[in-house]
Amino acid sequence: MPVIAHYSLIKDDALVVDGRATYRHEDKEAGVGAFASALYKHMELSYLKFFKMDNLSKLGFLAAEALLKAVPDFADTPKDKTGLFLMNAHSSLDTDERYYETVANDENNFPSPALFVYTLPNIVIGEICIRHKITGEHAFLLSEQPDATLLCNYVRNVFDENAVDAAIAGWVEYYGDKRHALLMWVNRQPGQVGATEFTPATIQQLWTIHS
Amino acid sequence: MGMVSAIGFDVPQALHALRHCQTGIGPIRFLQTRHRGTLPAAEVKASDYELATLLGLDDIRDYSRTALLGIMAAREAAAHARLHEHPYLRTGIVSATSVGGIDKSEVFFGEFLKDQARGGDLHYMVSHDCGDSTERIADDLGIKDFVSTISTACSSAANAIMLGARLIKAGMLDRVLVGGSDAITRYTLNGFNSLRIVDENWCRPFDQNRNGLNLGEAAAYLVLESARAVEESRKTPLAELSGFGNANDAYHQTASSPDGAGALRAMQLALHQSGLTTSHIDYINAHGTATPNNDLSEGQALKNLFKDYLPRFSSTKSYTGHTLAAAGSVEAVISVLSLQHGIIIPNLNFKDPIAELEIAPVVAFEEGIALRSILSNSFGFGGNCSAMIFSSC
Amino acid sequence: METLITDLKTQIIEHLNLEGVSPGDIDADEPLFGSELGLDSIDALEIIVMLERIYGLKIKSQEEGKKVFYSVRTLAEFISENKGLGVV
């Protein structure tokens, strides 16, 4: 039975790792861009590509940075047996709309390749994989609400098949003024301090706390 | 199985076109775009209204083209598999899309930007969420037990098939409709064109002088059934999904790594799961988009896997265009047709092998071949690499 | 030419979201790609769009692109040679 060994959560103005608030943005009303840049600086990251990402990828990227920093044995985890399973409701709609403005009319038609690239939700998976050299199985699911049962069953199936030894699983959403990322580090090591069973109920609990 | 694509409104029409090497790629006729007359595309040969008429739908304002295509192909698949005969079996749908309702949103935004005070018709926005087309297909067929949408770019449908297979293996469903639907939109045509990977001529997969892809649109669905469901309904399966694999290339958002590491790993995983070896694969339906990057990378991965014994391979995107999120299921349908009829569909427009690889796809139609297993590849932006193996029963 | 070079540097920084880079950090004669700026193929495509939108100039082939995009100076030279000729 897989367990949730660690988790990171970004909601509104806060970053929470394993239940501890590790960052709170001073400006509650700050836009996602300012929030993400501030968090990037706070985490003392140095990764030029970050600034080219769209907002959804920035959120997922930062949540993954925070999560993997909390995983002591990540370096020893085989990257080809590490999976990544994410879901959200609005896909890449925020970027879809921005990109659409660049092709909206035929007279002023300058489609932006840099925006177009991010008009797919699974690009956030690609960004995390590139950053951490993760090459295992992965998928992006769309679901109107965080669907703990679907996510749990999916990830358990993959573990049952031994397709992965560990996985990042969760929800990454950005649209309008809503930003919410919950990433869980799931592995097969029972008896870890602080680990909880990976069940729909425990996932649901993490989804609903800190709100 | 069901499929609507540039080479026909159903599977028999597609089979006829494939047997006669007729491509569906041609001048743009239906999409409103400034690229009409310059860029070819593989359009389904009907307007939204014509599609709606064929489907018997009255008010299609809420239906995106992606949903219309999806309903058409899904109905064919459901009828073919006689889903209605055993309503007590747990039945689900896993559908893939990358553009979702973007075509309708284009109409909305177009109007919205023209006259912001008046605002656009909000009906059009209803269909934007990517999950919308799946919900509409599920409603149309009365599928309730499981409804899910996958979006992993151009390998989406392959991932939908994989998820469906897992749901059956885990005993959660008896039958599942799997596949994908994506319509051509100005949005994607302009986007791929801005990446400079759209050919102004017919695409030339695996050719030294290939110059990009042709965009296509399609919907294709297959019905996967558990052994128990097959037994109870006394049906003869068309083929077995004997293995699948998925890996991330972890190289670049849009480009494949030069050695095709992700592709190689996905193929190896699929082989491992099927219990087969490379010598059991009789044909490969390649991803073969005809972009300089994909074909070189995929070709390298094929060489690395099969060494000196590369089986026959071709890219059927030279018929259907690149149908994005639907490509995996379009090519799954074509692979199953190949197994069923013992045919190999040749790669169109090929002249010279890629200098670095020196491998050549099949260029002439072949018939009467006993095919045991077929490998089908699907790769997508975001480093998503998927491979599936279909075997004759 | 020097004004154009400074303009270009500012435009590149803005269009490519080069956070923390100022025009002074970019050497006009150093190769743009493969440098510390970490530009990739998508950035090249974005510069193509920038040239079209701001200067009405089109890059005809990949070979031409390679020469023109070598450095900020080659880019400026391309613009000053072709500007006024309309879309080339």
Side-chain angles (χ1 to χ4, degrees):
Chain A
M1 173 78 80
V3 297
I4 304 168
H6 301 278
Y7 72 91
S8 69
L9 181 132
I10 293 177
K11 201 165 183 191
D12 304 324
D13 59 344
L15 168 70
V16 176
V17 180
D18 291 341
R20 287 185 304 277
T22 60
Y23 178 75
R24 194 169 280 276
H25 195 54
E26 54 210 23
D27 179 8
K28 258 194 157 179
E29 307 296 312
V32 68
F35 169 79
S37 294
L39 183 52
Y40 173 92
K41 286 199 187 90
H42 172 79
M43 293 171 78
E44 296 176 351
L45 299 172
S46 167
Y47 192 68
L48 278 178
K49 287 242 177 320
F50 173 79
F51 295 98
K52 313 206 169 214
M53 295 177 194
D54 73 340
N55 291 325
L56 183 70
S57 289
K58 278 182 179 167
L59 275 189
F61 177 89
L62 290 170
E65 289 297 308
L67 173 71
L68 295 177
K69 230 165 82 180
V71 177
D73 54 347
F74 177 64
D76 305 324
T77 311
K79 303 297 176 282
D80 60 350
K81 295 278 262 179
T82 300
L84 236 169
F85 305 95
L86 303 181
M87 54 164 60
N88 78 8
H90 286 99
S91 183
S92 51
L93 192 53
D94 172 62
T95 306
D96 295 359
E97 290 178 0
R98 281 165 207 271
Y99 164 74
Y100 185 73
E101 284 171 22
T102 72
V103 289
N105 58 60
D106 278 349
E107 294 82 53
N108 187 24
N109 186 304
F110 295 104
S112 161
L115 281 175
F116 180 64
V117 165
Y118 287 98
T119 60
L120 295 160
N122 64 301
I123 298 296
V124 59
I125 291 178
E127 293 290 6
I128 297 170
C129 285
I130 292 169
R131 165 72 164 168
H132 300 286
K133 309 270 177 290
I134 295 170
T135 59
E137 180 166 340
H138 56 287
F140 202 106
L141 298 148
L142 300 177
S143 162
E144 240 171 83
Q145 298 292 327
D147 187 338
T149 309
L150 172 60
L151 185 69
C152 184
N153 285 332
Y154 193 118
V155 174
R156 273 196 204 168
N157 277 345
V158 180
F159 271 93
D160 285 348
E161 274 177 26
N162 285 320
V164 296
D165 290 337
I168 298 172
W171 174 266
V172 179
E173 174 80 304
Y174 173 69
Y175 185 63
D177 53 2
K178 283 203 174 69
R179 49 180 182 252
H180 185 183
L182 167 71
L183 297 186
M184 294 165 279
W185 179 253
V186 185
N187 64 17
R188 243 194 243 106
Q189 299 159 13
Q192 293 170 89
V193 181
T196 32
E197 262 184 49
F198 184 68
T199 65
T202 53
I203 298 170
Q204 195 61 46
Q205 209 179 356
L206 288 181
W207 252 318
T208 44
I209 56 165
H210 309 292
S211 54
Chain B
M1 308 191 293
M3 177 161 88
V4 48
S5 70
I7 53 170
F9 291 101
D10 56 24
V11 173
Q13 283 182 16
L15 178 61
H16 182 270
L18 291 167
R19 276 182 176 278
H20 296 85
C21 299
Q22 292 162 349
T23 184
I25 302 165
I28 294 175
R29 279 166 53 195
F30 299 97
L31 183 70
Q32 299 293 334
T33 166
R34 67 189 182 123
H35 295 296
R36 253 194 209 200
T38 49
L39 296 179
E43 290 178 300
V44 170
K45 309 293 183 266
S47 67
D48 289 7
Y49 282 100
E50 287 164 330
L51 288 173
T53 310
L54 287 169
L55 292 170
L57 298 170
D58 297 330
D59 185 1
I60 60 156
R61 277 185 307 170
D62 287 354
Y63 288 84
S64 62
R65 188 169 171 88
T66 300
L68 293 172
L69 297 176
I71 291 170
M72 185 173 274
R75 279 188 191 173
E76 186 191 6
H80 189 210
R82 306 199 307 274
L83 286 188
H84 61 281
E85 285 178 12
H86 302 275
Y88 58 89
L89 292 172
R90 293 162 303 163
T91 307
I93 175 170
V94 183
S95 185
T97 184
S98 71
V99 303
I102 281 166
D103 58 331
K104 288 291 171 188
S105 305
E106 285 187 348
V107 176
F108 171 78
F109 277 115
E111 287 190 6
F112 186 74
L113 292 169
K114 260 187 237 156
D115 183 1
Q116 298 224 354
R118 188 167 55 91
D121 184 344
L122 279 168
H123 267 291
Y124 292 131
M125 277 314 278
V126 177
S127 54
H128 189 104
D129 271 8
C130 282
D132 176 79
S133 54
T134 314
E135 298 287 344
R136 288 191 187 273
I137 296 165
D139 286 350
D140 191 77
L141 296 175
I143 294 175
K144 290 188 196 74
D145 295 324
F146 183 89
V147 179
S148 187
T149 306
I150 288 236
S151 187
T152 52
C154 303
S155 58
S156 299
N159 284 44
I161 295 172
M162 289 168 51
L163 172 54
R166 287 218 163 97
L167 291 164
I168 288 190
K169 252 171 110 176
M172 290 166 64
L173 291 174
D174 302 305
R175 311 181 296 195
V176 58
L177 195 72
V178 290
S181 178
D182 250 349
I184 293 186
T185 61
R186 278 172 30 189
Y187 190 99
T188 35
L189 184 64
N190 279 298
F192 281 98
N193 198 43
S194 81
L195 295 177
R196 304 230 158 180
I197 49 173
V198 180
D199 198 333
E200 291 179 5
N201 302 298
W202 280 341
C203 65
R204 289 161 280 176
F206 296 104
D207 188 88
Q208 168 69 12
N209 298 310
R210 69 201 178 283
N211 196 25
L213 53 83
N214 300 135
L215 209 56
E217 61 183 350
Y221 292 92
L222 301 95
V223 176
L224 303 179
E225 302 197 21
S226 66
R228 185 180 79 108
V230 170
E231 205 173 292
E232 283 198 17
S233 57
R234 294 200 178 81
K235 282 190 275 200
T236 316
L238 305 175
E240 182 197 352
L241 174 62
S242 51
F244 50 78
N246 169 271
N248 200 291
D249 204 29
Y251 176 71
H252 186 267
Q253 302 101 315
T254 61
S256 303
S257 58
D259 58 348
L264 177 64
R265 196 174 141 68
M267 291 189 284
Q268 285 169 332
L269 287 167
L271 272 176
H272 179 76
Q273 194 188 45
S274 68
L276 301 172
T277 64
T278 50
S279 63
H280 292 98
I281 304 295
D282 294 321
Y283 163 71
I284 301 158
N285 188 303
H287 186 53
T289 57
T291 64
N293 173 250
N294 176 80
D295 292 8
L296 182 58
S297 170
E298 182 177 13
Q300 193 58 58
L302 288 175
K303 279 183 77 166
N304 290 348
L305 179 62
F306 289 95
K307 308 279 187 273
D308 294 334
Y309 301 97
L310 184 60
R312 284 174 280 210
F313 72 97
S314 65
S315 164
T316 48
K317 288 191 174 69
S318 49
Y319 300 80
T320 61
H322 189 354
T323 57
L324 307 183
S329 55
V330 165
E331 285 151 35
V333 167
I334 295 175
S335 296
V336 172
L337 287 174
S338 285
L339 286 174
Q340 264 185 299
H341 300 276
I343 54 175
I344 289 182
I345 312 301
N347 195 106
L348 301 177
N349 315 320
F350 174 84
K351 277 205 194 83
D352 304 307
I354 299 170
E356 296 93 320
L357 299 175
E358 293 186 329
I359 57 172
V362 177
V363 291
F365 179 75
E366 293 181 38
E367 200 167 11
I369 302 163
L371 295 166
R372 293 165 299 169
S373 289
I374 291 179
L375 172 69
S376 174
N377 284 338
S378 290
F379 312 134
F381 286 175
N384 195 306
C385 301
S386 296
M388 299 180 285
I389 297 172
F390 297 95
S391 300
S392 54
C393 289
Chain C
M1 181 61 81
E2 292 312 310
T3 325
L4 181 56
I5 285 178
T6 315
D7 286 352
L8 269 174
K9 286 181 183 173
T10 315
Q11 286 154 1
I12 288 171
I13 290 168
E14 192 184 314
H15 274 82
L16 306 185
N17 295 324
L18 300 179
E19 179 86 3
V21 178
S22 64
D25 298 336
I26 305 176
D27 187 325
D29 297 297
E30 286 292 307
L32 254 181
F33 290 83
S35 71
E36 280 175 5
L37 297 173
L39 305 189
D40 73 356
S41 55
I42 305 291
D43 295 307
L45 295 165
E46 203 59 39
I47 298 178
I48 292 177
V49 175
M50 194 185 94
L51 281 182
E52 261 189 81
R53 200 160 88 185
I54 303 177
Y55 300 99
L57 295 175
K58 276 195 168 139
I59 300 287
K60 274 171 282 183
S61 67
Q62 221 176 339
E63 288 71 46
E64 186 180 33
K66 268 190 188 147
K67 278 185 211 151
V68 173
F69 287 3
Y70 178 75
S71 66
V72 176
R73 187 173 302 279
T74 55
L75 206 52
E77 282 165 0
F78 172 76
I79 292 169
S80 58
E81 276 166 28
N82 292 288
K83 224 164 102 179
L85 299 176
V87 175
V88 289

